Amino acid sequence: MIFNMNFLLLDYAIRSLMRRFSKNFFIFLILSLLIFLLASVLMIADAIKLELNSTLKTLPQITLQRFIAGKQSDVPIARAEALLDIEGINAVTPRVWGYYYFKPAGVNFSVVGIDAYEEQYSPTLTLLTQHFDMKLLANKESMIVGEGVKKILAENYYSDFFNFITPKGEWKRVPIAGVFHSDLALESNDLIILPKKLAYAIFGMEESKATDIVVKVANVKEIATIVQKITARYPDMRAITQDDIRVSYQNIFDYKSGFFLSLFSVCAFAFFIIIYDKTSGLSSEEKREIGILKAIGWSSDDIVKEKFYESFILSLGAFLVGISSALFYVYALQAPLLRNLFMGYSELKPTFLLPFSFNLSMVILLFLLSVPIYIAATLIPSWRASSLDADEVMR
Amino acid sequence: MSLTPEIIALLTLDAIFCFLGLVAWVVAFRIAFHWNAKATTPLQYTLSKQSYLGAIIIKYIFMLKLPLFAFFIYTTDTLSSIIAGAMCAAGVVNSVDFGLYLTVFKLLNLYLFGFWLLLHYADVNDEKLPFTRLKFVLFLFFALPLFAEIALEVSFFSSLNISKIVSCCGTLFSAASDSYMSLLFVVDGYIWVGLFYGSFGITLLAYGLKNQLLLIASNALFLIVAIISLIIFFSTYVYELPTHRCPFCLLQKDYYYVGYALYTFLFAGTFFGMGGAVLSLFSKEKIRFSRLSLAFNTLYVLMISAYPMVYFLRNGVWL
């Protein structure tokens, strides 16, 4: 049939590659490096997406923010109670939280105020409140901090307390009651949890207001309808659902890896030209070889086929090496340097493990981006080589 | 426009196809006008060399187009999780006006290039190269849908709008008057099923009679009727839902990606049926494509018939 394999030709192709080892090895190395880079970036993006999607499930179903003149502002707590008479809403929790900028280290802490008697809106917080005695925390006016926060504070000689500076310019001394560890490192590394009263004092907020409102809905399918009802009642409130966040995450990561890929395609194009140049510049020895092959009865088709085997073996080998070293780099070494591309550079960025995920579609994608492109670059040069005339090159 | 890695991969390969396709087109143009197998001029010598180049390029494009077609469908399927309203590839494909044409062009190109390669195969296996001129004249025309497909694909991905709400397959393939398929729903589903088995019967007859013209006609008919009956009748049994008719959801994980197997059987079967018959009209050489075709077509019929049968055996009623 049309595409049958010829093992003798394959054997010849491998030997031919080995005969020009140094020239081919250079191409092999560069190609593996390119594929390795590309594979690592896609794998990191995939792994982070997976980690985010798993934290996504713990996020509130609907978050309500109030916007005045396009800027987010505090929500009156009275609204939280008024929302309860919309059918289908299970629970409404006003949240008091924000960022506290700690100048000496140049980092932002996430400060969350919680109430001992309230139902917590996220499983992480529920877990935390079970571990620590919140009533005691409220009485003593102290806080619980994440591991990252603890480290930063210790570096600045705050070992058992911290002085918050309120908007009025007063110092608010808060002792550290404990440090928590969490499996979901992404969301708790930079976290400070303290009683609501203290949070109000630190942020200088009115106690009749909240930062935003979290709504829990009994039936997930009703979320869209409930959002409609809420925004009809309070036009200045913006509702963010879990699904909105999921879509925007996906867009961000597709954008980031797409952006990298566009840069990559410039690289690949340059490489394409190098390959084209290298394979079309035949040495006199190679020309002689083709001449001899033709003289002993090889057809142009055989030579093209042999060249195709050569480039296929080379690119497939580079593809396999690139992929496997990327797997090692991303999951065993946890992708030093490159992960910053996706994570940002903040001091307090959590140190978390990239969860292992290996999907076939990505391998196919990488294959399509490497092997066919390499073969395309060698297509015309190998035809040119095959159409040399035996008598001319052997003369 | 959103540049997901999959889209960039498709566009990059499109650029390569476009470039190589143009090269092959120029070659085809020269051969179509100047080819003369009896001449001993330098021009004829160059042309015979260049005909290799054309064939290599076309082989390359076809070999890649085959997996890329599946990859394209897969990409649109993954995009359906981003685009509001879309639940499978059908919604994404139809979110742009010409999406359906793009898919049809892709399929058409696969068939055309496949036929071209069969012709090429017959040509190079004959020492007189009797079809060289014909095949490059044909390529001059076959390249046009290829370029059209590339242009459509580029504009398809650049006009994809994430925030636009699209219809899902449930509305696109319903009996409602504004869907594409409304015309087909006028005819009762069982008539389509009858036509489906009828046309399969005609292909069997054609295999038996070894009548090449009948083989071509019956396989073409079988392809069209199979797709229509799949949408109208058989897909409801795959989904086990009387209102869900969609040729794309079959390709999803929920149905064990059965669509990839089904479509491969159907397309391979009808392609070999038609291609083998066309080829044997041209060349004297015996090529046993009809057996392959018979095997694939029968596999398709058995597989798609199993769904309603199993449903009936389990539940004791028809949908």
Side-chain angles (χ1 to χ4, degrees), chain A residues 214-231:
Chain A
V214 166
V215 177
K216 208 169 162 186
V217 176
N219 183 354
V220 186
K221 287 181 182 156
E222 286 177 355
I223 287 179
T225 325
I226 287 169
V227 165
Q228 236 173 16
K229 281 184 183 169
I230 294 171
T231 44

Side-chain angles (χ1 to χ4, degrees), chain A residues 34-65:
Chain A
L34 275 176
I35 295 168
F36 160 74
L37 252 179
L38 182 65
S40 316
V41 168
L42 290 183
M43 280 176 192
I44 295 170
D46 238 39
I48 295 179
K49 224 191 280 181
L50 202 75
E51 168 86 6
L52 279 176
N53 276 336
S54 67
T55 45
L56 199 62
K57 288 188 196 107
T58 66
L59 287 181
Q61 285 164 323
I62 306 175
T63 313
L64 294 171
Q65 297 171 337

Side-chain angles (χ1 to χ4, degrees), chain B residues 225-245:
Chain B
V225 175
I227 289 178
I228 294 173
S229 65
L230 175 70
I231 294 171
I232 289 190
F233 180 77
F234 291 107
S235 66
T236 55
Y237 284 93
V238 178
Y239 310 130
E240 303 191 335
L241 199 68
T243 52
H244 192 184
R245 297 182 176 88

Side-chain angles (χ1 to χ4, degrees), chain A residues 2-3, chain B residues 58-59 61-63 65-66 106-122 142 271-272 274-276 278-279 289:
Chain A
I2 307 173
F3 317 113
Chain B
I58 294 165
K59 246 189 217 173
I61 293 178
F62 177 75
M63 293 289 272
K65 277 241 160 271
L66 220 50
K106 275 186 176 292
L107 204 56
L108 179 74
N109 280 334
L110 280 187
Y111 274 89
L112 289 182
F113 274 58
F115 288 145
W116 194 94
L117 281 181
L118 287 182
L119 188 64
H120 170 70
Y121 175 69
F142 288 180
F271 169 75
F272 283 125
M274 288 190 272
V278 170
L279 205 58
F289 279 148

